[in-house]
Amino acid sequence: MEPIKYYSTNLKADEVTFSEALLKGIAPDKGLYMPKEIPTFTRVEIKSFSQKEYYEIAFEVIRKFLVGQINDDELLDLVKDAYNYDVPLEKGFENKYVMRLDQGPTASFKDFAARMMGRLMNYYIKKENRKLLILTATSGDTGSAIANAFYGLDNIKVLVLFPDGEVTDRQRKQMTTLGKNIQIISLKGKFDDCQALVKESFADSDLDYLGLSSANSINIGRLIPQIVYYFYSFSRLRMGNENDDVIFSVPSGNFGDMMGGVFAKHMGLPIKKFIISVNENDEFTSFLNTGNYSKIEPSKNCLSSAMNVGHPSNLARLVALYGGVMNEKGEISKSPDMDKMRKDIYSSSISDQVTKDMIKEAYDEHSLLLEPHGSVGWKGLMDYCKEFNIDQDQLCISLETAHPAKFPAQIVEILKFDPELPVSLEGLENKTEYFDNLDNNYSDFKNYLINNYK
Ligand SMILES: *Cc1c(COP(=O)(O)O)cnc(C)c1O
């Protein structure tokens, strides 16, 4: 079979293979890479997943996008190594479940993508005998997931920027205590500022010699692994009838997670509806309702801090899948099919107060321990089921994207107990931190890059 080609959502760059898209991160025209065709599974293949382990489903999904780009034995080794932890599915009530994506080494769902992307990048650059500097902006969890996923690799260095004061102590320590090939900057600004500096440096030809690459959710190599858990959860929870389908609720910020689900749907997974649950940054909810898009600048600070995004970086991909064109600034030159989008997607914006109330309600009524992101997802699902009178037998799965122990202050305030720490997060308190402070301005950042990476 011919390898799948990847095009840029801005439509002004050459098509590339998977490995090129992976190593470039962002296209030269600042667009995002998308597969020209989305491979599909038959119903029979999807049914067979119920007999497979998580890493085997990952193998089946990922190899479809990498035809001719890696051989099966090597890919199988990579997925086995990346997915060596549990993916619990916990019942809330009726046929409504929470999928806990928090059992990886940094206790957030970002481990799923980062671990696979790190292994794939390492595979390709070793083959080509190249070196890379990964630049990544984080609002909390990406940074630690990327730093952990790449820690200790020979040919890859990682530089993470986080917004000063906007990540929790624990999130910061997960990045700053590593050392070796991992360097961290605390920026006097917001997450969007971090992301803007990263984007500007990619577009700066003076820095070409550094071999810059991105590991943010804009990298197609992060998106593809996020398709897998949609197939996995369905394979474990479906009742076995031909007409089974599922509703997913996805707590969303930059829309990488939900794009994985949208791809899964296009690949043949019978997804009846996606609920895109957001915090008070409701630019997408309004867009879906009105067809008019306007970014929220600056983004609002909400409890679910990893979702404080005023312009989701993956939105251009969603627009592309529905036949539209949106550039990196959020300007739409061709409108997507909004009716089709509304048929597939519902969106709910959840305030901080309601997020807190739902943490309490889910715990008191269903013994579900949720942190703020998962609470936004669960509440979005509750809203949808109520508004559309969803049958109680309907399979619904809400994603929990981080471990409650990553947000101890909120949990203690609301539930009056301290959630137990997963093994992966123990012992951080006593480790030494290394990071640099920078002002929010591009020329300082550029000098930093030039001086630190010769
Ligand atoms: C990153 C993150 C999200 C948002 O995911 P996107 O792919 O950016 O939409 C939600 N919850 C947590 C805990 C996260 O770290």
Side-chain angles (χ1 to χ4, degrees):
M1 261 175 48
E2 284 289 296
I4 294 178
K5 287 284 189 176
Y6 290 77
Y7 73 95
S8 162
T9 51
N10 281 350
L11 307 173
K12 295 195 185 81
D14 292 340
E15 290 173 4
V16 297
T17 60
F18 174 78
S19 60
E20 290 171 278
L22 174 78
L23 296 179
K24 278 199 162 79
I26 195 159
D29 64 357
K30 298 189 187 175
L32 309 180
Y33 283 117
M34 282 284 278
K36 272 189 84 176
E37 65 211 86
I38 298 182
T40 56
F41 288 112
T42 63
R43 283 266 166 154
V44 175
E45 284 175 303
I46 292 172
K47 214 170 181 178
S48 75
F49 289 170
S50 63
Q51 308 299 322
K52 293 186 194 294
E53 300 290 332
Y54 189 93
Y55 77 87
E56 293 173 309
I57 300 175
F59 171 74
E60 297 294 341
V61 170
I62 296 169
R63 81 195 277 250
K64 290 254 187 196
F65 288 91
L66 269 64
V67 271
Q69 292 268 290
I70 186 169
N71 70 42
D72 283 357
D73 291 348
E74 288 169 305
L75 181 59
L76 197 57
D77 284 346
L78 299 186
V79 291
K80 237 180 170 162
D81 188 49
Y83 301 117
N84 55 2
Y85 52 89
D86 206 19
V87 186
L89 290 151
E90 191 176 328
K91 191 170 192 145
F93 64 101
E94 293 171 353
N95 216 2
K96 298 178 178 59
Y97 289 81
V98 167
M99 171 158 54
R100 294 202 180 268
L101 301 171
D102 60 0
Q103 303 292 299
T106 67
S108 98
F109 90 98
K110 295 201 169 68
D111 287 327
F112 284 81
R115 287 172 70 76
M116 195 63 216
M117 183 177 62
R119 282 157 179 75
L120 285 168
M121 281 184 158
N122 202 38
Y123 172 83
Y124 288 116
I125 62 159
K126 253 180 152 166
K127 247 170 104 167
E128 296 178 18
N129 204 8
R130 286 170 52 186
K131 286 195 189 306
L132 279 187
L133 172 58
I134 306 271
L135 277 188
T136 193
T138 185
S139 53
D141 291 325
T142 305
S144 54
I146 297 294
N148 278 273
F150 287 87
Y151 177 65
L153 298 180
D154 294 338
N155 293 3
I156 303 184
K157 287 185 172 149
V158 175
L159 176 60
V160 183
L161 285 89
F162 71 85
D164 174 38
E166 278 190 39
V167 304
T168 67
D169 283 358
R170 213 168 257 162
Q171 284 175 324
R172 194 188 64 244
K173 283 181 183 161
Q174 283 181 284
M175 312 184 263
T176 56
T177 55
L178 288 168
K180 277 197 183 168
N181 58 329
I182 311 296
Q183 207 158 342
I184 313 290
I185 290 176
S186 168
L187 190 85
K188 290 189 186 62
K190 295 192 153 278
F191 170 70
D192 293 348
D193 300 320
C194 296
Q195 210 166 23
L197 290 186
V198 168
K199 282 189 178 166
E200 195 165 349
S201 44
F202 284 128
D204 188 338
S205 56
D206 292 354
L207 301 175
D208 283 352
Y209 74 98
L210 289 172
L212 295 183
S213 185
S214 143
N216 267 10
S217 56
I218 49 181
N219 193 306
I220 188 70
R222 269 190 58 185
L223 226 139
I224 292 169
Q226 289 174 175
I227 302 169
V228 178
Y229 40 76
Y230 293 92
F231 280 102
Y232 172 81
S233 54
F234 183 72
S235 78
R236 292 311 188 265
L237 296 174
R238 73 191 298 247
M239 306 297 281
N241 303 317
E242 277 313 306
N243 299 326
D244 283 347
D245 58 15
V246 54
I247 295 171
F248 281 105
S249 179
V250 188
S252 294
N254 271 312
F255 286 18
D257 198 359
M258 63 77 57
M259 275 310 294
V262 173
F263 271 90
K265 183 176 167 74
H266 281 75
M267 294 180 82
L269 188 67
I271 299 176
K272 183 187 170 104
K273 201 87 184 183
F274 276 106
I275 302 157
I276 301 189
S277 302
V278 297
N279 59 28
E280 293 170 32
N281 292 284
D282 62 353
E283 66 280 358
F284 179 75
T285 314
S286 311
F287 174 54
L288 196 63
N289 291 338
T290 65
N292 298 318
Y293 182 67
S294 52
K295 305 186 255 190
I296 295 182
E297 290 174 307
S299 56
K300 293 182 193 165
N301 275 339
C302 299
L303 274 183
S304 46
S305 53
M307 311 195 315
N308 292 339
V309 179
H311 172 45
S313 57
N314 275 291
L315 185 55
R317 284 197 167 110
L318 185 72
V319 168
L321 268 190
Y322 286 87
V325 179
M326 174 187 265
N327 71 11
E328 70 285 355
K329 298 188 188 97
E331 296 156 353
I332 297 177
S333 56
K334 181 172 176 231
S335 188
D337 185 339
M338 295 303 296
D339 290 334
K340 191 156 173 251
M341 205 187 274
R342 287 183 196 115
K343 215 176 131 251
D344 294 345
I345 296 171
Y346 169 87
S347 179
S348 191
S349 162
I350 314 293
S351 72
D352 274 359
Q353 186 56 50
V354 173
T355 303
K356 288 186 189 178
D357 294 346
M358 191 37 97
I359 290 176
K360 178 138 182 60
E361 187 183 318
Y363 190 75
D364 289 349
E365 291 184 17
H366 309 299
S367 306
L368 276 179
L369 180 55
L370 301 174
E371 52 69 59
H373 305 80
S375 173
V376 168
W378 185 250
K379 174 63 179 162
L381 177 62
M382 297 299 110
D383 286 351
Y384 178 76
C385 289
K386 197 165 168 205
E387 186 174 338
F388 295 92
N389 234 333
I390 297 302
D391 192 280
Q392 63 175 31
D393 292 334
Q394 171 69 49
L395 176 60
C396 301
I397 303 172
S398 183
L399 278 51
E400 174 51 289
T401 47
H403 195 284
K406 291 189 99 170
F407 301 88
Q410 286 94 342
I411 304 290
V412 169
E413 179 199 327
I414 300 162
L415 298 178
K416 317 288 178 216
F417 67 84
D418 205 353
E420 214 174 296
L421 220 53
V423 183
S424 60
L425 299 184
E426 283 171 3
L428 272 181
E429 272 62 30
N430 307 323
K431 293 188 182 162
T432 314
E433 290 191 74
Y434 307 93
F435 63 93
D436 294 315
N437 293 290
L438 271 192
D439 285 332
N440 176 27
N441 96 47
Y442 182 65
S443 65
D444 284 6
F445 181 59
K446 185 171 173 174
N447 284 332
Y448 182 95
L449 287 175
I450 292 169
N451 294 332
N452 278 276
Y453 302 96
K454 296 263 155 48

